[in-house]
Amino acid sequence: MPIADYPKLNCLKAGADMTTLENIVAQVQALYYPPPRNGTLKLCIAAHPELDLYFVMTDVLTVHDGIDCVYDAELRLSLSMIDYILANAATFDPRDTPYVKAIRASGEMSLVHHFTQLLKRPTPEVRAIHEGLARRTYAVCSKVDEADDVDPDVVLSAMADSRPLVLRGALKSPLIALGEEAFVERYRDLILRQNGAIGKPETVGDIAAKIRDASVDRVYLNGVEVPSVLAPLVRFPMFEESAYSIGLMWWGKKTSNGVITKLHRDFQISFLAQIWGEKKLQLFSPDQSDELYAAPAFNMYQLCGIDPGAPDFLRYPRFNTARPLEVIIGPGDILMIPTGWFHCVWALTDVFSVNRFMEEATLKDLCVDSAVALYR
């Protein structure tokens, strides 16, 4: 039902600009796919409670404007922020500024995450990479290749051939020897992120306290930009600094109930460096998108419906034929994940990692300089 057909909102149309609400409903409907768990999300319009909407997300999407409806999650946005998100759907990530300061959410967060994912759209460049991945063929591998030497040509060949590669002990970071306890003591007051749920900044000390709290099972600082004071301590080898993106931090505690990073793929090459602890990863080649139920709505990365940590084969039967590669990385190891490879992560212990991306265009330039054949 179009928004204009909702009785309550239609009455208000003369006094309120309905275009923003019509646009967000259209965006969610266009590429809708079911959430892992059914539920209802209430979209609260800041300063305009009369415009609140309810998104009932099951196998199909239903949107209505009922009053006093039961809902499982609440997302609060202003009309101007909705317009901003839709105008920037290609880069929208709720973890980034300015979104983290303007978005308030509560309740069943999996529904909130699913809803925000439905708002994303790829750039033409990302769509071209996505289509190229679908056309390419991939060698069937039984394990992830490993190397003990940091040889740039070996790494370039693996990237060009779309083969994951582990470089054992490649990262020589002083943070590895420093250890978590001394790190927390030295950088306790360093601000790491703005917590959108509580509307306050969180420091190294705050995150460490959550990790040490035995009553909290799941704590994970996921994809936060490495502060400038720490960046020189986690410089990656092999290539010039300019070849990599900024570093992102991943810090959290051992989990007893599944993955800490959901199954997804990036449209860039990813280098994941382990500082402390051990992580287990499952990787799937790009030609397995159907078996993994890759989401139709995405921008810089693409999530999947299936959870390899607790697979629901009745709901996702094609996952039975998926072919995962499994690898464990520890302190000093760097895992290179080629563009478009799906992956998910388990924390076998308390963990701290840094990842950096490399654009496909950068890979092409590096291959030309080294005479490594690209996409051979």
Side-chain angles (χ1 to χ4, degrees):
M1 179 185 292
I3 284 224
D5 293 337
Y6 298 143
K8 181 184 74 173
L9 296 183
N10 197 40
C11 293
L12 295 169
K13 192 165 185 178
D17 182 3
M18 301 304 298
T19 302
T20 296
L21 294 183
E22 290 169 347
N23 287 344
I24 194 169
V25 170
Q27 189 89 335
V28 172
Q29 287 175 330
L31 295 177
Y32 179 77
Y33 63 100
R37 294 191 182 94
N38 295 342
T40 299
L41 179 138
K42 179 182 180 181
L43 178 63
C44 300
I45 309 302
H48 291 283
E50 72 279 5
L51 300 181
D52 292 349
L53 291 176
Y54 296 81
F55 292 77
V56 183
M57 295 186 283
T58 61
D59 287 342
V60 296
L61 174 68
T62 305
V63 186
H64 63 87
D65 59 354
I67 300 175
D68 297 327
C69 290
V70 175
Y71 55 91
D72 306 285
E74 181 176 289
L75 178 63
R76 180 174 295 274
L77 296 170
S78 66
L79 289 170
S80 60
M81 178 49 64
I82 292 174
D83 287 335
Y84 187 84
I85 290 171
L86 297 180
N88 294 276
T91 56
F92 170 55
D93 188 325
R95 298 171 297 181
D96 295 343
T97 305
Y99 310 111
V100 73
K101 295 183 178 181
I103 295 175
R104 292 289 178 268
S106 60
E108 179 54 59
M109 294 307 294
S110 66
L111 283 176
V112 175
H113 295 155
H114 191 78
F115 183 86
T116 57
Q117 191 67 26
L118 290 166
L119 301 178
K120 299 178 179 181
R121 297 295 184 270
T123 62
E125 293 78 12
V126 168
R127 186 169 294 282
I129 292 172
H130 181 268
E131 293 170 353
L133 292 168
R135 292 192 298 267
R136 191 172 175 182
T137 57
Y138 301 87
V140 177
C141 305
S142 59
K143 64 182 183 66
V144 175
D145 291 344
E146 298 189 11
D148 293 323
D149 297 325
V150 182
D151 183 336
D153 281 346
V154 170
V155 180
L156 283 174
S157 293
M159 289 191 286
D161 292 343
S162 192
R163 290 182 288 107
L165 177 67
V166 177
L167 300 166
R168 296 296 184 189
L171 185 72
K172 309 300 182 184
S173 169
L175 293 181
I176 297 174
L178 182 64
E180 186 173 28
E181 185 174 344
F183 170 80
V184 173
E185 184 63 29
R186 182 176 298 181
Y187 299 104
R188 180 174 300 278
D189 296 326
L190 180 64
I191 294 175
L192 297 179
R193 70 174 177 184
Q194 180 80 14
N195 188 320
I198 61 176
K200 296 180 180 179
E202 285 188 308
T203 65
V204 166
D206 294 329
I207 301 300
K210 291 182 179 180
I211 291 173
R212 294 167 180 170
D213 186 345
S215 67
V216 180
D217 182 66
R218 185 173 293 265
V219 178
Y220 202 45
L221 184 77
N222 56 335
V224 172
E225 183 175 339
V226 175
S228 58
V229 69
L230 299 180
L233 306 180
V234 286
R235 295 198 181 277
F236 281 24
M238 299 170 292
F239 309 111
E240 296 291 334
E241 276 289 298
S242 59
Y244 301 104
S245 70
I246 60 171
L248 301 176
M249 293 173 53
W250 308 80
W251 183 23
K253 69 189 303 180
K254 175 182 178 180
T255 52
S256 60
N257 58 345
V259 300
I260 55 169
T261 299
K262 293 181 179 180
L263 185 62
H264 72 286
R265 66 171 167 183
D266 303 296
F267 295 103
Q268 305 169 79
I269 302 154
S270 179
F271 293 83
L272 178 62
Q274 196 65 12
I275 308 295
W276 314 312
E278 289 188 330
K279 283 183 171 180
K280 181 181 78 171
L281 292 93
Q282 283 189 353
L283 299 97
F284 303 81
S285 54
D287 56 355
Q288 300 184 68
S289 59
D290 286 345
E291 289 86 345
L292 305 179
Y293 298 83
F298 60 89
N299 52 19
M300 297 173 289
Y301 61 90
Q302 185 175 28
L303 289 171
C304 297
I306 187 69
D307 176 7
D312 183 346
F313 290 107
L314 290 177
R315 189 166 189 172
Y316 303 106
R318 295 194 300 273
F319 186 64
N320 272 300
T321 60
R323 308 179 308 278
L325 300 179
E326 193 164 292
V327 65
I328 294 175
I329 57 173
D333 294 341
I334 298 178
L335 172 63
M336 185 280 293
I337 305 174
T339 299
W341 275 70
F342 298 94
H343 51 284
C344 57
V345 185
W346 286 259
L348 303 182
T349 64
D350 291 355
V351 291
F352 187 104
S353 312
V354 172
N355 93 288
R356 302 180 73 175
F357 292 107
M358 179 183 290
E359 300 281 354
E360 281 285 302
T362 302
L363 170 60
K364 292 179 181 179
D365 292 341
L366 291 171
C367 286
V368 169
D369 292 342
S370 71
V372 169
L374 188 64
Y375 305 150
R376 52 190 172 188

